[in-house]
C-alpha cells in the first residue's frame, strides 16, 4: 500500500536525492546568461541557457563579491557550484560559488548579426514608421488566445472604449516553432482590409520565452504589414527584433492597449472643447459680420440718393435765392443806368432845342440838312417845329 506523503515530504526527499548525488554536488557548467537580475540583497539570479534548454542559477552575495567582472545578459560564462532543490517551490537550480567569463553567447551573437543586417537594410529606419491611428475602428491582435496578455488588452480596451472592434488572431507565442505560428497569424491579419492597426503582443517571461520574437523571418513579415503595427512583448526592459521593426513599440501588452484604444471620455472632452471653440469663433464671426453690415448700412444710408436729392433741394433753393437776388440787383442797377442814360439822352435830345425857336430840316429820305449846300433845287424837305412837322418844296436855291 502506497504511503501518503505531503508536498513538503516529496520536495525534501528529492532534495536529499539530488544533494547525495556525487556529480551534482560539484558541477562545472557553461552557457549563456539570460534573465539576469541583481537583487537589492546583493544576490544574483539568472538562467544559463544553450540552444535547447535552460537552468536557473543563484549566486549569493558572499560569492558575488569575489567576481572579477560584471555579468550581463548574453554573456557566455562557466559557473562552478552545486545543484540542489529550492524546497518552497520544488524547483532545482545551480547554487554558484564562482563564475568565469567565456565571451558573448552564441544566441546573443546571432541576434546581433541579424539586428545589424536588418538595420543596414533600413527596416529600423524612422522614415518607415507610420503614425498610429488615433481613432481606429477595427483592431487586429496577434497573441495567444489563452494568455494573460489578451485578457489585459481586452479589459483595457473595453474600459477605455466599447465601440472599437477587436479581431483576435490566435498564435503560439512561446516554444518550438512559435515564430511560424505568429507569421501565419500575421499573414491572416494582413488579408483583412478593414483593419486599421495590428497589435503583436505577449506577456512577460524569460528571454527564452520571448526569443521567438527575435526570428529574422518574423521581423521581415511584420515589416510588410499593410497597416501600422504596435508591439507589446515581454517587459519594458525586453527589446526584440519585432519591436525594432514595428511602427511603435509599447513596453507591455497593457501599454499597447492604452496606446491603440482611445479613451472614449477623452474623446468626448475633446469634441466638447471643439464644439465650444467652434461656437465661440462662430459668435465672433457673427459679431464681426454684424458690425460690418451695420457700418455698410450706415454708409449706404449716408450715400442714399434720396438724401443726396434732399441735400440738392437745399442747394437748389440756395442757388435760386442767390439767382433771384442777383437778378433783382441786376435789374435795379440796370434801371438806374437806364434812368441815368435817359436823363442824359433827354438832356441831349435835339428836339429840346426846338423849344428855343429852332427847327430841324431833313430830306424826305431822313437825312439831316445842317449846311446850306445840302439844299437842292426841285426837292422836297421836312421841317420839324416844336409843335409839328411841315413839308415844303424848294423850286430854286439861291445862295445869298
Amino acid at each position: 500500500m502506497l504511503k501518503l506523503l505531503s508536498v513538503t515530504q516529496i520536495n525534501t526527499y528529492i532534495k536529499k536525492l539530488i544533494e547525495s548525488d556525487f556529480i551534482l554536488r560539484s558541477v562545472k557548467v557553461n552557457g549563456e546568461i539570460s534573465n539576469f537580475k541583481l537583487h537589492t540583497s546583493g544576490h544574483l539570479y539568472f538562467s544559463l541557457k544553450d540552444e535547447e534548454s535552460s537552468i536557473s542559477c543563484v549566486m549569493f552575495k558572499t560569492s558575488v563579491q569575489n567576481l572579477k567582472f560584471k555579468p550581463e545578459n548574453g554573456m557566455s560564462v562557466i559557473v562552478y557550484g552545486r545543484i540542489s532543490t529550492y524546497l518552497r517551490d520544488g524547483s532545482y537550480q545551480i547554487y554558484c560559488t564562482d563564475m568565469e567569463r567565456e565571451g558573448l553567447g552564441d544566441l546573443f551573437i546571432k541576434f546581433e548579426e541579424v539586428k545589424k543586417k536588418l538595420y543596414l537594410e533600413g527596416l529600423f529606419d524612422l522614415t518607415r514608421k507610420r503614425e498610429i491611428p488615433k481613432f481606429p475602428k477595427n483592431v487586429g491582435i496577434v497573441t495567444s488566445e489563452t494568455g494573460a496578455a489578451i485578457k489585459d488588452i481586452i479589459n483595457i480596451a473595453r474600459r477605455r472604449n466599447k465601440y472599437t472592434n477587436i479581431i483576435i488572431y490566435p498564435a503560439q507565442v512561446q516554444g518550438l516553432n512559435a515564430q511560424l505560428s505568429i507569421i501565419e497569424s500575421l499573414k491572416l491579419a494582413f488579408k483583412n482590409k478593414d483593419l486599421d492597426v495590428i497589435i503583436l503582443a505577449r506577456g512577460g517571461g524569460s528571454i527564452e520565452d520571448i526569443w521567438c520574437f527575435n526570428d529574422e523571418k518574423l521581423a521581415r513579415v511584420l515589416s510588410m504589414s499593410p497597416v501600422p503595427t504596435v508591439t507589446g512583448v515581454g517587459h519594458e526592459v525586453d527589446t526584440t527584433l519585432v519591436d525594432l521593426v514595428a511602427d511603435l513599440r509599447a513596453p507591455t501588452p497593457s501599454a499597447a492597449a492604452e496606446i491603440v484604444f482611445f479613451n472614449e471620455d477623452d474623446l468626448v472632452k475633446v469634441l466638447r472643447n471643439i464644439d465650444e471653440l467652434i461656437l465661440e469663433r462662430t459668435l465672433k464671426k457673427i459679431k464681426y459680420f454684424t458690425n460690418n453690415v451695420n457700418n455698410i448700412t450706415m454708409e449706404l444710408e449716408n450715400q442714399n440718393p434720396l438724401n443726396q436729392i434732399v441735400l440738392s433741394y437745399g442747394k437748389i433753393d440756395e442757388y435760386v435765392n442767390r439767382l433771384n437776388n442777383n437778378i433783382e440787383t441786376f435789374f435795379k442797377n440796370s434801371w438806374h443806368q437806364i434812368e441815368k442814360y435817359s436823363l442824359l439822352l433827354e438832356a441831349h435830345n435835339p428836339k429840346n432845342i426846338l423849344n428855343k425857336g429852332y427847327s430841324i430840316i431833313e430830306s424826305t429820305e431822313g437825312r439831316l440838312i445842317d449846311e446850306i449846300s445840302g439844299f437842292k433845287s426841285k426837292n422836297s424837305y421836312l421841317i420839324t417845329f416844336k409843335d409839328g412837322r411841315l413839308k415844303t418844296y424848294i423850286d430854286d436855291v439861291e445862295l445869298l
Side-chain angles (χ1 to χ4, degrees), residues 224-265:
M224 294 185 292
S225 173
V227 297
T229 56
V230 179
T231 55
V233 177
H235 300 292
E236 186 171 359
V237 295
D238 302 318
T239 302
T240 63
L241 290 179
V242 294
D243 292 322
L244 299 174
V245 169
D247 294 291
L248 182 65
R249 178 212 176 221
T252 62
S254 297
E258 294 280 352
I259 293 171
V260 172
F261 294 94
F262 65 90
N263 191 321
E264 185 179 330
D265 294 336

Side-chain angles (χ1 to χ4, degrees), residues 101-315:
R101 181 175 179 178
E102 277 196 324
L104 294 176
D106 293 338
L107 291 178
F108 186 75
I109 291 174
K110 183 178 180 181
F111 168 79
E112 289 296 326
E113 288 176 350
V114 176
K115 180 179 176 182
K116 182 178 180 181
K117 181 180 179 181
L118 297 181
Y119 170 79
L120 293 175
E121 292 181 18
L123 266 65
F124 305 157
D125 288 354
L126 294 178
T127 54
R128 295 186 67 257
K129 306 296 182 182
R130 293 166 290 188
E131 185 177 357
I132 307 304
K134 293 182 178 180
F135 308 110
K137 192 174 182 180
N138 300 294
V139 177
I141 303 174
V142 177
T143 189
S144 170
E145 60 181 339
T146 59
I150 188 62
K151 295 178 182 178
D152 292 341
I153 292 174
I154 291 177
N155 287 337
I156 292 172
R158 290 298 168 249
R159 171 172 54 81
R160 291 174 64 84
N161 174 6
K162 58 181 177 292
Y163 297 106
T164 303
N165 298 319
I166 298 176
I167 301 94
I168 301 173
Y169 298 90
Q172 178 187 341
V173 292
Q174 178 179 337
L176 188 63
N177 295 326
Q179 67 273 14
L180 299 180
S181 175
I182 298 172
I183 289 172
E184 183 179 349
S185 296
L186 280 175
K187 288 183 177 180
L188 187 61
F190 293 169
K191 294 179 181 179
N192 188 343
K193 304 301 181 182
D194 295 328
L195 291 183
D196 300 303
V197 61
I198 294 174
I199 297 176
L200 175 58
R202 187 206 186 283
S206 65
I207 290 181
E208 292 81 11
D209 293 338
I210 64 173
W211 197 258
C212 59
F213 291 93
N214 288 320
D215 182 74
E216 179 180 353
K217 185 176 180 181
L218 172 58
R220 292 186 181 279
V221 170
L222 185 65
S223 70
M224 294 185 292
S225 173
V227 297
T229 56
V230 179
T231 55
V233 177
H235 300 292
E236 186 171 359
V237 295
D238 302 318
T239 302
T240 63
L241 290 179
V242 294
D243 292 322
L244 299 174
V245 169
D247 294 291
L248 182 65
R249 178 212 176 221
T252 62
S254 297
E258 294 280 352
I259 293 171
V260 172
F261 294 94
F262 65 90
N263 191 321
E264 185 179 330
D265 294 336
D266 291 342
L267 178 60
V268 171
K269 291 179 182 178
V270 170
L271 292 177
R272 284 177 180 171
N273 291 336
I274 293 175
D275 183 61
E276 291 175 359
L277 183 61
I278 291 175
L279 178 60
E280 180 184 351
R281 291 186 176 180
T282 301
L283 291 176
K284 284 184 178 180
K285 284 288 185 183
I286 292 174
K287 184 177 180 180
Y288 171 77
F289 286 120
T290 300
N291 291 335
N292 278 352
V293 169
N294 291 336
N295 292 334
I296 293 172
T297 301
M298 291 178 62
E299 185 66 25
L300 289 174
E301 190 67 25
N302 293 333
Q303 300 298 327
N304 192 329
L306 294 177
N307 292 335
Q308 297 297 324
I309 292 173
V310 171
L311 293 176
S312 298
Y313 281 149
K315 290 183 179 180

Side-chain angles (χ1 to χ4, degrees), residues 370-388:
D370 57 356
E371 292 179 353
I372 195 170
S373 59
F375 288 99
K376 303 292 182 184
S377 298
K378 310 297 183 185
N379 281 323
S380 295
Y381 294 92
L382 294 175
I383 302 173
T384 302
F385 298 95
K386 67 176 183 178
D387 55 352

Side-chain angles (χ1 to χ4, degrees), residues 8-34:
T8 301
Q9 288 174 325
I10 286 291
N11 284 344
T12 302
Y13 179 75
I14 295 173
K15 179 179 176 68
K16 289 180 179 180
L17 283 179
I18 292 176
E19 290 180 348
S20 64
D21 186 277
F22 175 76
I23 295 177
L24 300 181
R25 281 187 291 179
S26 180
V27 294
K28 177 183 179 182
V29 184
N30 75 308
E32 183 177 327
I33 294 177
S34 65

Side-chain angles (χ1 to χ4, degrees), residues 338-349:
I338 290 172
E339 289 180 340
K340 177 182 177 181
Y341 290 130
S342 294
L343 293 174
L344 184 62
L345 287 174
E346 186 64 25
H348 292 82
N349 190 344

Side-chain angles (χ1 to χ4, degrees), residues 316-329:
I316 290 173
D317 292 339
E318 180 184 350
Y319 291 145
V320 169
N321 291 332
R322 188 184 301 174
L323 180 61
N324 289 334
N325 292 333
N326 291 338
I327 292 173
E328 186 178 353
T329 301

